[in-house]
């Protein structure tokens, strides 16, 4: 794994992934981008767009935003699973890609997900991301672990 111009962070836990990605960007003096927030900002009201224009148009607009995000430099980019999976061909160019693996038992409390869905998503992320780091919270120890793992792998 080598460091590119940006770092992509993926997590099944939106809140913790977002917090840790933002902290990482701050420590590395990089820009922070939340992919979902940027898509929502661009679309303004995705529900209305879906209702009036249909899923094909919504997907096309989402891909357009993700295509732009994939060109960001000097950035830590946080992306949720669904956006990553649906736009893998665009986002897999960002290196390194890091999967923040959250324990299944804790994930069930914050992000309801079936056992089968968890296993499939976890397997996909472990095989498609450059690095998997297990975290249990957004605390200092989790952040220190991320920094340590990145330094070891780069």
């Amino acid at each position: 794994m080598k460091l590119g111009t940006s770092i992509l962070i993926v997590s099944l836990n939106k809140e913790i992934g977002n917090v840790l990605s933002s902290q990482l960007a701050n420590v590395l003096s990089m820009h922070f981008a939340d992919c979902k927030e940027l898509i929502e900002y661009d679309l303004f009201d995705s529900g209305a767009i879906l209702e009036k224009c249909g899923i094909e148009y919504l997907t096309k607009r989402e891909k357009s935003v993700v295509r732009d995000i994939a060109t960001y430099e000097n950035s830590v980019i946080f992306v949720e699973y669904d956006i990553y999976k649906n736009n893998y061909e665009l986002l897999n160019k960002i290196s390194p890609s890091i999967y923040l693996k959250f324990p299944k038992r804790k994930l069930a409390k914050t992000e309801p997900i079936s056992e089968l869905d968890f296993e499939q998503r976890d397997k996909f992320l472990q095989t498609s991301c450059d690095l998997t780091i297990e975290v249990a919270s957004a605390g200092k120890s989790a952040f220190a672990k991320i920094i340590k793992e990145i330094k070891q792998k780069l």
Side-chain angles (χ1 to χ4, degrees), residues 73-139:
E73 294 185 2
N74 194 37
S75 300
V76 174
I77 302 163
F78 173 68
V79 63
E80 296 174 21
Y81 172 81
D82 290 336
I83 295 170
Y84 181 71
K85 175 91 168 141
N86 293 338
N87 297 282
Y88 178 73
E89 71 282 353
L90 298 170
L91 294 170
N92 75 342
K93 298 171 186 164
I94 301 171
S95 182
S97 58
I98 301 169
Y99 167 37
L100 298 181
K101 183 176 179 176
F102 197 69
K104 181 175 42 178
R105 68 185 186 289
K106 287 190 172 187
L107 187 63
K109 296 175 185 174
T110 59
E111 310 271 342
I113 187 171
S114 73
E115 178 83 21
L116 180 61
D117 281 346
F118 176 83
E119 297 300 329
Q120 290 173 340
R121 291 174 183 202
D122 181 62
K123 183 178 180 181
F124 173 75
L125 291 173
Q126 286 195 53
T127 57
S128 65
C129 291
D130 298 319
L131 179 62
T132 298
I133 303 173
E134 294 188 23
V135 295
S137 70

Side-chain angles (χ1 to χ4, degrees), residues 62-75:
E62 181 180 281
K63 281 204 180 295
S64 174
V65 174
V66 172
R67 189 174 292 109
D68 289 342
I69 292 168
T71 66
Y72 285 9
E73 294 185 2
N74 194 37
S75 300

Side-chain angles (χ1 to χ4, degrees), residues 1-43:
M1 177 178 75
K2 67 179 194 129
L3 184 60
T5 58
S6 291
I7 299 171
L8 184 74
I9 307 284
V10 186
S11 178
L12 295 177
N13 184 293
K14 298 172 201 160
E15 184 178 319
I16 290 177
N18 190 299
V19 168
L20 291 171
S21 299
S22 177
Q23 290 175 348
L24 182 63
N26 188 39
V27 165
L28 297 175
S29 298
M30 297 175 85
H31 302 285
F32 171 69
D34 181 319
C35 200
K36 177 135 178 110
E37 286 180 11
L38 291 169
I39 290 168
E40 287 297 322
Y41 177 80
D42 184 72
L43 297 177

Side-chain angles (χ1 to χ4, degrees), residues 1-4 7 95-96 148-154:
M1 177 178 75
K2 67 179 194 129
L3 184 60
I7 299 171
S95 182
K148 180 182 173 187
E149 293 275 343
I150 289 173
K151 285 181 178 179
Q152 285 179 348
K153 303 293 181 187
L154 294 180

